[in-house]
Amino acid sequence: MDARGKAILHDSLALALVILVVVVWKVVYLNLLVAFVFILIYAYKKGGIKEELGFSKPPHLFRTIMLAAGLALVFQLIIYFAVWPVIEKLTGQPLALGVFDQLRGNTGLLVFSLASGWIVGGLLEETIFRSFFISRFINHLPDKIGMAVGIVLSSLLFGYLHAYQGPTGQILTGFTGLLLGTIYVYTKQNIWLCILTHGFIDTFSMTLLYFDLVNLI
């Protein structure tokens, strides 16, 4: 087997293992943490975390933060006013909030949720579903095909794993994954804008829930 064949085999096995961990292992957060650590080790040994996962420092950090906040706000407005109502009509089921239904007025849970939103949602999920997942397809398929296949498949898996939110939540999450995946490929596979945007999306959502404003928009 030549070097290219070995690279495809190694990436395929690594991707399959990550999918197996996040799908089959039902321990919340721990499955993502284990997958994240494995990805870091794999990327480090293969070519380096910066090269393999896009962790290079953004050229303009403050601009990147502001852009991420702006994108998150725009995405939230699109989801709340356009996408969410349509999906609820199609599925006939409201969005299930799960444990986050207890977030209203609960300051302790808000603090925990914001921390998990940035660490689990921003860092872990973006590294797994955008940085690692999409780049495996880009590395071994023609550019546009690899981008499209990677974005779609990663978004489907991302949505599927949010089953606790019901079918409406799964579709909304998958749609968000499409948006974040698009950001990833159009920033030349630098993951920081995705991480920051995801963190701001979760922050805005949880703040609205905390103040019980979700039903007002």
Side-chain angles (χ1 to χ4, degrees):
M1 185 181 294
D2 60 14
R4 178 174 173 76
K6 289 181 179 179
I8 294 174
L9 177 60
H10 292 164
D11 275 356
S12 299
L13 291 175
L15 184 59
L17 180 59
V18 168
I19 294 173
L20 186 66
V21 169
V22 298
V23 172
V24 177
W25 198 7
K26 299 298 183 180
V27 182
V28 180
Y29 295 162
L30 186 57
N31 58 348
L32 295 177
L33 179 60
V34 170
F36 174 75
V37 172
F38 168 77
I39 287 170
L40 290 183
I41 295 172
Y42 180 79
Y44 176 78
K45 289 184 174 295
K46 184 176 181 183
I49 292 173
K50 289 183 179 180
E51 294 76 8
E52 289 293 318
L53 300 177
F55 275 101
S56 300
K57 182 180 177 181
H60 304 287
L61 181 57
F62 181 74
R63 291 182 189 176
T64 302
I65 294 172
M66 291 298 99
L67 177 58
L71 286 171
L73 180 59
V74 171
F75 290 169
Q76 288 295 79
L77 291 174
I78 292 173
I79 289 170
Y80 280 126
F81 286 108
V83 181
W84 187 351
V86 171
I87 292 175
E88 279 197 341
K89 286 184 179 180
L90 291 174
T91 63
Q93 297 186 39
L95 174 66
L97 298 175
V99 67
F100 296 110
D101 194 42
Q102 305 170 28
L103 192 57
R104 297 176 178 86
N106 189 331
T107 304
L109 183 57
L110 175 65
V111 173
F112 173 80
S113 298
L114 290 176
S116 66
W118 281 93
I119 296 172
V120 177
L123 180 60
L124 271 61
E125 289 186 343
E126 289 310 303
T127 301
I128 295 169
F129 296 103
R130 254 61 67 181
S131 181
F132 179 73
F133 200 109
I134 296 176
S135 63
R136 296 315 97 188
F137 292 92
I138 293 176
N139 289 348
H140 304 299
L141 293 175
D143 286 345
K144 291 185 178 179
I145 295 176
M147 290 177 185
V149 172
I151 291 173
V152 171
L153 292 183
S154 66
S155 300
L156 288 172
L157 179 61
F158 188 54
Y160 170 77
L161 291 174
H162 288 73
Y164 68 91
Q165 294 181 331
T168 296
Q170 287 179 299
I171 296 172
L172 282 173
T173 302
F175 177 76
T176 302
L178 290 174
L179 296 176
L180 291 168
T182 302
I183 290 176
Y184 176 67
V185 299
Y186 277 100
T187 53
K188 297 180 181 179
Q189 297 173 249
N190 188 305
I191 194 59
W192 284 113
L193 184 57
C194 287
I195 290 174
L196 293 168
T197 302
H198 193 149
F200 279 119
I201 288 174
D202 286 352
T203 297
F204 295 155
S205 298
M206 292 168 187
T207 302
L208 288 170
L209 270 173
Y210 176 77
F211 289 105
D212 201 13
L213 297 174
V214 172
N215 294 326
L216 299 180
I217 59 177

